[in-house]
Amino acid sequence: DDISDLEMWCQYDTGLTIGESSTVSAWTDQTGNGHNLIQAVEDEQPSYTSGSIRFNGTDNAGGHDMNIDTDVSINANTDFTLVARIAPQATPANDAIWGNNSNNLLRMNNAGSFRAKLGGSGSSDFAEASATLATGTFYTVFLVRSDGSTGNLHVYVGDGSTYTDNGGKNWDSAESHTDADAFSINTIMSLSNESQRFRGDIEEMLVYNKALSADERQQIINFRGNL
């Protein structure tokens, strides 16, 4: 929170409501902006495991996801950054990380690459043949919308000590995006129609109302890497 324009922060092992069966029904946004993660349906609550939260990736009954109590409103024509520290527990299969009613704002594709889809326009793909996320390993994934009216999207991926400006796993290509539609983030680890659920662990979720610089991204990597 030393970095300015922090809109949402679901912090590692902080503000969790954990039930008797070690399921998580709520994760409180530490900014006070009310973007708390909630899941009232017990069968759809992820499980608590040593500080992180585990989602089972099931798209049918009993699948895990969490909703955002007060939606995070974003305009696709302004700069922002989405941050998630995740560890896949299986090979990705169109798994949403950030989502809303109709779009996967950021998802992992079958090959372990990423796809972003904002507002009402088409999707942007980030592919690097040699860059896949190892199962059981935590990575910090950034979706950065930068460059004012140009609207370039970047995906950066770091795994602690190997993180660089271009991403520890080399997803560093820019995809042009100028859609001015406003939209909201209202769910994580799936879409609101309960499809494309992510299978894996999550330690942290953050939203900034600006494009984080390379130095700021490195600060987040270093902070989380010291857990």
Side-chain angles (χ1 to χ4, degrees), residues 43-72:
D43 286 348
E44 298 179 9
Q45 293 172 357
S47 58
Y48 177 80
T49 171
S50 302
S52 61
I53 300 174
R54 178 162 295 177
F55 295 78
N56 64 9
T58 301
D59 276 346
N60 50 30
H64 296 166
D65 58 23
M66 298 189 82
N67 301 313
I68 298 178
D69 196 16
T70 301
D71 293 0
V72 180

Side-chain angles (χ1 to χ4, degrees), residues 32-46:
N33 291 330
H35 305 306
N36 309 312
L37 301 181
I38 56 173
Q39 180 52 265
V41 180
E42 187 171 0
D43 286 348
E44 298 179 9
Q45 293 172 357

Side-chain angles (χ1 to χ4, degrees), residues 90-134:
T91 301
N94 297 327
D95 298 347
I97 300 173
W98 298 93
N100 68 2
N101 286 326
S102 58
N103 295 326
N104 35 46
L105 307 184
L106 182 65
R107 83 177 192 204
M108 296 186 68
N109 286 333
N110 289 325
S113 60
F114 288 89
R115 168 170 287 185
K117 187 173 183 181
L118 306 183
S121 88
S123 58
S124 299
D125 290 324
F126 301 84
E128 194 66 49
S130 62
T132 56
L133 301 190

